Amino acid sequence: MLDSVDGTAFNNEQGNRARKLFAAVVLAALDDAIADDKKYGNGPDQIARWARSRDGREVLSCAGIDPNERVVGGLMDFVSKGVRTSVALSREESERRNAATAEAA
């Protein structure tokens, strides 16, 4: 009985690790699209093309993200804002956004 539970826990942990790995690939694709947007001005189109491709849909699915048009639109909006993923995910940026929201209200 315990072997079965240990095996299930191990498999679940492996799945979580794989999901995080694919999420990192999505973040890297976003950073590449932001760099393309700054250099060539076509970042939102690049991320949309990637997200609609077979490989992009596969990576998004493996990251636990449903690859639908709403997600593609969100990725395009994120890229058009031009904020790198490392900055957007940082605590300082989160606090700055929350302060700006509170100030506007």
Side-chain angles (χ1 to χ4, degrees):
M1 175 68 183
L2 289 178
D3 291 336
S4 169
V5 172
D6 288 343
T8 302
F10 178 77
N11 288 339
N12 186 39
E13 188 63 32
Q14 289 293 92
N16 288 338
R17 287 186 194 131
R19 197 169 299 114
K20 287 179 184 178
L21 177 67
F22 281 105
V25 173
V26 172
L27 293 176
L30 284 169
D31 278 343
D32 288 347
I34 290 168
D36 281 351
D37 193 39
K38 289 181 179 178
K39 192 170 185 179
Y40 304 113
N42 66 347
D45 296 333
Q46 288 292 94
I47 198 68
R49 188 176 306 118
W50 174 80
R52 290 179 181 131
S53 72
R54 185 187 320 169
D55 290 340
R57 288 192 317 263
E58 185 74 21
V59 169
L60 288 170
S61 294
C62 289
I65 302 168
D66 185 24
N68 57 36
E69 281 302 311
R70 182 174 178 226
V71 168
V72 173
L75 293 172
M76 291 173 68
D77 288 343
F78 186 85
V79 169
S80 62
K81 289 179 184 174
V83 179
R84 307 283 292 189
T85 57
S86 58
V87 174
L89 295 174
S90 71
R91 175 172 288 173
E92 293 83 15
E93 177 68 15
S94 176
E95 290 172 353
R96 187 191 65 75
R97 269 187 270 137
N98 289 339
T101 305
E103 187 176 295

